Amino acid sequence: MKSGGIIAFALTLSALVIACGGESDAPDDAGARIDAQTEIVDAGAPAADAGCDVSPEPDAVPEIAGGFDVATVDGGSNVPVATGGDPTGTWVFDEATFYVSETAATMFDREASTVGGRAWAAFDGTEARLDFEFVTTLNGTPAGTIVRPSSTQIRGTYEVDGSAIVITPACAQSSAGGAGGGGSAGGLQFSMDGDVGRLITSVSGTAGMITIVLDGTRRGTP
């Protein structure tokens, strides 16, 4: 398994987009009707058994301020491309952008939808530790407002291959596991410019390709 917990989280968004009107193999809930103004708070899939210790956590991890954008294809993609670098150090992220397909973007009000939470990653040259805790809020869906938290922790060894970070987990747990969506992993990519860094991961599912871009800064190196 490589970067499995991150992919499980990405599948959560795919499941959310399905809930907004995308195709699904699940049977219709006959007789159920949801008022368009209803706010749905989805606790996500049951959390995995505790046992992936990613401590120590950096001090004062900032709150994520994020949202959604459309991944355009005409005239060239607007999704950032990873350029690589040396990821060694502790990184905290304060911005997140979820790039969705043009089809998926019609299923909710992306300008009114948000991504919050906390995210950090540490790479010491041999071991990687990642802790991502997100809350996605989709407004303007046919079912009203959908709020879904997810939590992912990973610890393991890693290798840098060009602009890719390949993680072999010793442990990984995610409340997003089993969220569905039928997706496939696009891997974990990295860009750095001094102490400014970016992590990029993508997943393809029934709602199309979703790319998650996290921007932040390096607190220090081991």
Side-chain angles (χ1 to χ4, degrees), residues 128-143:
R129 296 179 292 114
L130 299 89
D131 188 357
F132 297 159
E133 298 182 17
F134 294 104
V135 178
T136 52
T137 302
L138 300 185
N139 285 299
T141 82

Side-chain angles (χ1 to χ4, degrees), residues 169-214:
C171 67
Q173 62 186 31
S174 176
S175 64
S184 59
L188 183 65
Q189 303 287 316
F190 182 79
S191 296
M192 61 89 67
D193 182 8
D195 288 336
V196 176
R198 169 176 286 164
L199 285 180
I200 304 173
T201 189
S202 60
V203 60
S204 61
T206 57
M209 182 66 73
I210 301 167
T211 301
I212 301 170
V213 178
L214 300 175

Side-chain angles (χ1 to χ4, degrees), residues 76-211:
S77 174
N78 63 331
V79 178
V81 176
T83 57
D86 180 2
T88 304
T90 298
W91 300 85
V92 294
F93 302 98
D94 56 8
E95 295 183 20
T97 305
F98 286 24
Y99 290 86
V100 301
S101 69
E102 293 180 355
T103 298
T106 65
M107 301 175 188
F108 65 104
D109 184 347
R110 68 175 181 84
E111 293 185 355
S113 299
T114 61
V115 178
R118 301 162 69 253
W120 61 270
F123 305 95
D124 68 4
T126 57
E127 183 182 65
R129 296 179 292 114
L130 299 89
D131 188 357
F132 297 159
E133 298 182 17
F134 294 104
V135 178
T136 52
T137 302
L138 300 185
N139 285 299
T141 82
T145 298
I146 300 176
V147 182
R148 180 158 189 161
S150 66
S151 176
T152 296
Q153 293 79 36
I154 303 171
R155 178 190 289 270
T157 59
Y158 75 97
E159 297 179 356
V160 176
D161 182 8
S163 62
I165 299 176
V166 182
I167 301 176
T168 302
C171 67
Q173 62 186 31
S174 176
S175 64
S184 59
L188 183 65
Q189 303 287 316
F190 182 79
S191 296
M192 61 89 67
D193 182 8
D195 288 336
V196 176
R198 169 176 286 164
L199 285 180
I200 304 173
T201 189
S202 60
V203 60
S204 61
T206 57
M209 182 66 73
I210 301 167
T211 301

